[in-house]
Every structure is written in C-alpha cells, then in structure tokens.
Amino acid sequence: MASRMLIRLGLLGVGGASITYNVDELKIAAVGAQRFGRAVVTTHLRSAKHLLDLCCLNGGAFVKPEELFVEFEPEPLGAASLAQVHRAKLHNGQEVAVKVQHPSVKSHSKVDMKGMELLVGIVSRIFPEFRFEWLVEEMKKNLPKELNFTNEAQNAEKVASQFTHLPWLKIPAIDWSLTTDRVLVMEFCEGGQVNDRNYMITQGINTNEVSEKIGKLYSEMIFVNGYVHCDPHPGNVLVKKVNNEAQIILLDHGLYTNLTSDFRVTYSKFWLSILNANLNEIRQYGTELGVGELYGLFACMVTGRSWNSIAKGIDKMERSSTEQNEIKASAASYLPQISAVLNRVPRQMLLIFKTNDLLRGIEFSLNTQESMKSFITMSRCCIRSLFAHQRTLCKSTLCTVRVSIAETWAQFKISLYTLYLLYLHSNLDCLALERKDSGWFQVVQLMVLNLCFCIFSKHRPYQEKLLNSPREG
C-alpha cells in the first residue's frame, strides 16, 4: 500500500513535475518509511535479553565473553543509534570500554539513505527555497565511515600523534587485538562530562581552564592541522583532575573532517577579518568561501553573534540577552538564506558549523562564553596557519627566516595585547596591591601599557596586514 502511494506520487509529481525514482528505489524507500515509523513509537530496550540477542547476532568474540573478559557489564554505559558501549575487564586486569555496533545497522543504513534522499527530493520540489541535498551528500559520505570501527581506531591514534605536545589531552589507547570493523575495544577512561559545571566545582577543577584548553585543542585542529573531531558533544568530552590540573579526555573518533590547505588559509583570514571588524575583508574572504552576497549571514552563523556585534568588534561587544533574543527571533525569517549558505559553502564547512555550535554550547554550560582567551587562542592559531602557508611559498632560506621573524613579532604583539586586557580587567592592579613595594611595578606596568598603545592603534592585536599572501622568493 505504501509503495503504491509513493509510485503514484512519483508519477503525478508535485505541481506537474515528475520525480525520477524507479519502482525498486521506491520499494526501498517504503521500507525506510516503515523503519522511521517504528523508530518513532519504539523505545530502546536495555535488558539482559537484548544484550544476549545482540551478542548472538554479532557472533565471533561475543558468543565467548568468558574467553576474552573476566568481567563484562551487561548494562551499557551509553547507547546511541549506531552502537552502545560496555565496561569490561581483560584477563590481565585492564579495564576497557567495548563499543558494540547494533545488529543490522549496516544493512539498514542503505535503506535509510535512500529514504532520506527521496524525502529531501520531495521537500525540495514542494519548497524550492529550501535545498537540503547537501544533507544527503554528507550522510552518504560520513555514515559508512562511522560504521567502520577500524577507521575510528585509526582516527584516534592519528589525532593522539598530532597532540603529543599537549600533556593534558587524553585519547584512549586502542586494543587492536580485539578490535574489528564492528567491535572497538579501548582503554577505559573516567571523568565528568564537559558541560557538568557542578562536577568541576566539586572536584576543584577550574572551568575557565577547561574552556581554554578545549578552545586551544579545537583551534589547532581547525586552523593548524586541518584534521577536526566533529562530534564534541558533552558525552564525548570528559574532564578529570590530574596532578592539580584539568585533563581533557576526547572520545568517539568516528567522525573527522579533513580540511584542505586552501580552505584552512582562507578560513583563517576570514576569522582574522572578523576579529578585526574589517567589513571589507569579511566580504572578500566570505566570497572566496563561496557565500557571495550572504557573507554577513555567514559571519553570523560562524560566530553565533549578531551583525551589529561583528561590525563593532566581537572582542569589544559582550554577549547580551537582547542580542541572543534578536538572533533567535531573526533565525526563522532567514531560513531560506541559511539554507542557501549551507548549499554554497565548501562541504568541509558543514561539519565545522556543527563543531562550532557544540563548542559554544559547552562555553555557555561553563559560563565562560565571555572569556577573551578564546579569541586570543584563535588568533594565535590563525597566525600560525597563515605564516606556515607563507613559508611553503618561500624559495630561499632568507625568505623563510624573514617569515619566521614576522611570525614571532605577530605572536609577541598578541602577548602584549594580553597584558593590556589583563589591565582592563584590573588583574594587574590586584597584583600591584599585593606587593609591599609596588612603586616599581606600577612604573613597569605603565611602560608596558604605553608600548601597547603605540603598537595598537585600535587596541587590537591583529592590525598588521597578515591577511595578504606574501611574495614568493
């Protein structure tokens, strides 16, 4: 019955247009529609019987848990649409987390994608101003990767190797002897969720430190490495106190995006133009990123700020409830334009949007959204990205040395600007009052501030023209 109705819809079309899906595809879509319906009315069962059925269907290692694990907790630590995670203990005493793929999820994924493709096609014909083909494209590209746990294990090891210079970052080690495409066994790590502010206060963890470290981690991923973990929701980012500092534990490495060098450089320039409140360069680099006349909306989507705040300088304009209400009220009226932006931007940008939103949610949960440290960290990473690109264009040692000196000077100016911000927030005044003989300290402080004023015509660390590509040579 459902397939007959869909066939009629395909023949009749919408407004006289025809939808070119053959009968077999429509039957697949009908199966997908049935599955979607069941998903709406069925809750996820977490019983011992469900686990037993799961293990039997998976076969292999899971029909012999006693041979591999001394202990295996039947209740999952977490469950999602693709898999669930259980705590277990190996014979050598090591505690591990075992990620098990749900039965039949791989075979059903093709049906899901066909069903979504059909539904998106129908929506696009009924509402031409809403184009969601990009959603189908991304799902087709990313879902198979997420279903391959070997790929996830390789991602985890790759990102761990890229951040060995961050001792506070923890990536769970992979047990390759027990890992397959559908089963992932890794080191078990404990910690509180990154949005649990009460947990951090109880454990004596500084929320500003946590926010700063996460900002540094993702700024390096996006602007420097071009290899970005795209699912930083609170369940995938844990926090733990180790040696009196916050340790960040990054989980679930199934979804990463690789950013091309050209994209990273242009996106870095775009962000620096936003931090400079340089509207001409926002337009220029927004256009280079493909959004054309929608560059203002694109800047708002990237920053989560209003255009008025961007024009005046987001490092100067604090977020307010009025601004947030304005953004929420305007979002509905700009849906067609938002859809247009999502269709125009490079595909790499789509997962960056998701990552940005999740990171902003973490900042709001920790009440650290007004910290200037995030802008400072982002600026440093943008500068690293741009000067690294400039070095690749050099054809002589002298050129490389000049670029390196220029980068050092740019980073030094940001350091001076950081002192200036500390002064604005009275932190330096507090330090001076704590000293019995503060006269010399105030003199040095005044000298530093005068230097800052000489260097920054607008009290910004970004005034040097770092955005233009260097000459080769």
Side-chain angles (χ1 to χ4, degrees):
M1 181 65 179
S3 74
R4 286 201 298 271
M5 290 177 64
L6 287 170
I7 291 171
R8 288 176 187 148
L9 178 59
L11 293 174
L12 293 174
V14 180
S18 63
I19 300 175
T20 57
Y21 282 89
N22 61 40
V23 174
D24 290 336
E25 287 178 325
L26 291 171
K27 286 181 179 178
I28 291 175
V31 173
Q34 291 174 353
R35 293 188 65 243
F36 292 152
R38 287 198 299 267
V40 172
V41 299
T42 305
T43 58
H44 183 73
L45 300 178
R46 297 184 181 182
S47 62
K49 183 180 183 300
H50 177 76
L51 177 63
L52 177 62
D53 293 340
L54 173 65
C55 291
C56 291
L57 284 169
N58 279 342
F62 287 90
V63 299
K64 305 174 183 177
E66 70 278 2
E67 293 184 12
L68 298 176
F69 307 104
V70 176
E71 299 174 5
F72 193 97
E73 295 186 3
E75 281 295 316
L77 296 171
S81 57
L82 303 181
Q84 58 193 47
V85 180
H86 297 264
R87 188 172 185 171
K89 182 180 289 187
L90 301 179
H91 283 277
N92 62 9
Q94 180 185 359
E95 284 195 304
V96 292
V98 183
K99 186 174 182 178
V100 186
Q101 194 171 113
H102 291 317
S104 304
V105 69
K106 190 169 289 188
S107 59
H108 287 164
S109 65
K110 294 181 180 179
V111 177
D112 290 340
M113 286 188 282
K114 282 291 185 182
M116 178 173 287
E117 190 172 12
L118 173 63
L119 294 174
V120 166
I122 293 173
V123 169
S124 296
R125 291 184 179 274
I126 298 175
F127 306 103
E129 67 273 23
F130 295 104
R131 310 295 300 182
F132 293 107
E133 287 81 358
W134 58 268
L135 184 60
V136 177
E137 293 172 14
E138 289 302 299
M139 183 177 176
K140 283 182 176 180
K141 182 177 69 175
N142 293 318
L143 187 55
K145 295 178 182 178
E146 291 191 83
L147 290 172
N148 185 344
F149 288 173
T150 302
N151 177 68
E152 179 175 343
Q154 291 170 344
N155 288 343
E157 292 197 337
K158 180 176 179 179
V159 78
S161 67
Q162 291 179 342
F163 288 99
T164 54
H165 60 288
L166 302 182
W168 43 262
L169 177 64
K170 176 70 175 177
I171 307 293
I174 305 298
D175 189 328
W176 282 103
S177 66
L178 299 176
T179 293
T180 68
D181 286 353
R182 299 179 61 191
V183 179
L184 176 61
V185 180
M186 56 196 149
E187 176 186 5
F188 181 80
C189 297
E190 286 186 293
Q193 290 193 357
V194 72
N195 64 339
D196 191 343
R197 192 165 182 267
N198 291 333
Y199 165 83
M200 296 184 202
I201 293 173
T202 302
Q203 297 295 316
I205 299 174
N206 188 318
T207 56
N208 287 308
E209 178 191 354
V210 171
S211 184
E212 182 181 0
K213 286 180 174 178
I214 292 175
K216 179 177 177 59
L217 172 62
Y218 274 87
S219 290
E220 287 199 26
M221 282 184 176
I222 294 170
F223 299 109
V224 180
N225 296 340
Y227 188 65
V228 188
H229 178 280
C230 292
D231 202 13
H233 70 73
N236 288 340
V237 185
L238 305 182
V239 182
K240 184 179 180 181
K241 189 171 185 178
V242 178
N243 298 327
N244 292 320
E245 71 169 335
Q247 181 186 71
I248 307 298
I249 304 167
L250 193 61
L251 308 176
D252 197 342
H253 301 271
L255 186 58
Y256 273 75
T257 186
N258 285 286
L259 308 180
T260 64
S261 178
D262 288 343
F263 175 85
R264 281 192 304 105
V265 169
T266 305
Y267 190 54
S268 295
K269 292 176 180 178
F270 183 71
W271 255 110
L272 283 176
S273 65
I274 290 175
L275 294 172
N276 278 325
N278 189 321
L279 304 189
N280 289 331
E281 288 174 346
I282 291 175
R283 180 190 298 110
Q284 176 185 345
Y285 299 116
T287 300
E288 289 186 16
L289 289 169
V291 298
E293 76 283 0
L294 297 176
Y295 66 90
L297 177 60
F298 178 53
C300 294
M301 292 170 65
V302 166
T303 60
R305 302 296 300 272
S306 69
W307 178 248
N308 182 56
S309 294
I310 292 172
K312 293 181 179 179
I314 58 175
D315 61 337
K316 293 289 187 288
M317 299 289 293
E318 292 187 0
R319 285 186 177 93
S320 65
S321 57
T322 302
E323 180 186 9
Q324 296 307 307
N325 291 335
E326 175 190 341
I327 292 173
K328 291 177 182 177
S330 302
S333 60
Y334 281 102
L335 279 179
Q337 291 87 345
I338 292 172
S339 177
V341 168
L342 294 175
N343 268 303
R344 294 182 187 183
V345 293
R347 300 297 91 180
Q348 307 162 76
M349 190 66 221
L350 296 174
L351 288 176
I352 299 296
F353 276 133
K354 174 187 176 184
T355 303
N356 286 346
D357 288 340
L358 290 170
L359 293 175
R360 275 196 290 269
I362 291 172
E363 285 185 341
F364 275 98
S365 297
L366 299 181
N367 196 28
T368 59
Q369 66 271 19
E370 298 303 333
S371 174
M372 280 297 299
K373 289 183 179 179
S374 61
F375 294 131
I376 297 295
T377 300
M378 190 178 300
S379 300
R380 289 190 183 279
C381 288
C382 286
I383 288 172
R384 283 176 60 188
S385 175
L386 295 180
F387 279 107
H389 174 68
Q390 289 180 13
R391 273 189 287 271
T392 65
L393 301 178
C394 286
K395 296 181 179 179
S396 67
T397 303
L398 180 60
C399 174
T400 302
V401 171
R402 285 175 177 172
V403 170
S404 297
I405 292 173
E407 180 181 7
T408 301
W409 172 240
Q411 295 287 11
F412 176 68
K413 289 198 297 182
I414 290 182
S415 298
L416 290 180
Y417 185 68
T418 304
L419 292 176
Y420 171 72
L421 291 177
L422 288 172
Y423 173 77
L424 289 182
H425 290 84
S426 301
N427 289 339
L428 288 180
D429 284 347
C430 293
L431 287 172
L433 290 173
E434 290 176 0
R435 297 173 180 267
K436 292 181 180 179
D437 183 14
S438 61
W440 66 269
F441 185 79
Q442 291 174 345
V443 171
V444 173
Q445 174 182 316
L446 185 59
M447 292 173 62
V448 170
L449 290 174
N450 284 334
L451 180 59
C452 289
F453 282 118
C454 290
I455 293 175
F456 311 115
S457 60
K458 295 183 179 180
H459 305 163
R460 297 178 186 273
Y462 327 106
Q463 294 305 312
E464 185 167 356
K465 294 295 182 181
L466 303 173
L467 304 182
N468 298 320
S469 298
R471 298 174 183 171
E472 297 184 9

